[in-house]
Amino acid sequence: MQWSKHFRVKPGQAVRLADRDTAWTGDFKNKDDARDALSANIARMAELQNLLYAQRKHALLIVLQGMDASGKDGTIRHVMSGLNPQSCYVRSFKEPTPEELGHDFLWRVHRVVPGRGEIGIFNRSHYEDVLVVRVHDLVPRRIWEQRYDQIKAFEKILAANDTVILKFYLHTSRGEQRARLQERLKDPAKRWKVAPGDFTERKFWTAYQQAYEEALTRCSTPAAPWFVIPADHKWFRNWAVSQVIVETLAGLKMKYPTPKFNRAKIHIP
Ligand code: ATP
Ligand code: MG
């Protein structure tokens, strides 16, 4: 079964998030049931990363987006836990600095995309410029309206230059967000993460969902597909993201480069 296909937004398909179950768990009954499948994927990702690095033909860009408390950090912590830090890194995109605002919105993004052989993980991304920016009118509509095409053109350039792009929308329900925010307030190890803004942003839930629907609908392309991941169950989210990554990397049919020397002639003194 190609699970990637199941989660992928088909180019041109209009996304309605309300029609997609946030709590879906596929063939798995519970967390224990999915444990082995996740471990196997994490191990496989490490092998595939090694091939990617050895071959240096492709770069892998993973984009994580979702509402507050949708699990972007948790996905990175769990799904990427088996990767070698040597050729893998995470970039988080916060509110732009004055320097970043002095440039076009893709400037800060383009300079940190992964090179061939590397895996780059974006915790939030250039999509914030058609999400939070649109919801809060941080720039006029005529400016953000053009950005969908600009994003598509940008991603097309990356893809044409051997970057494999996987964009994950972590789809959580409003109720689940409430539970997680409450949980964060209780737990001293999580409380520091809470910003008062997280609670006020909740009021804009519908506007965010609409902005997401438009980004997913307009910017899921063959070169840079969006995947909608049911994310109310953290364990399913972790498995689903890892599964799409494994299927995609395996599909590249990578091979270790053959050395240019003749092994038989080498004598190790
Ligand atoms: P955490 O899980 O730690 O809360 P986070 O990604 O929410 O992680 P924060 O520092 O809480 O990190 O939030 C970053 C904020 O920056 C988000 O509210 C996001 O919408 C905002 N942001 C990101 N990019 C832009 C942008 N281009 N313009 C305006 N705001 C942005
Ligand atoms: Mg936050």
Side-chain angles (χ1 to χ4, degrees), residues 68 73 93-96 108 124 128-129 132-133 193:
D68 280 318
D73 294 355
F93 293 92
K94 310 272 181 188
E95 270 182 53
R108 67 172 181 165
R124 302 186 188 269
E128 292 291 323
D129 291 280
V132 62
V133 168
K193 268 194 169 207

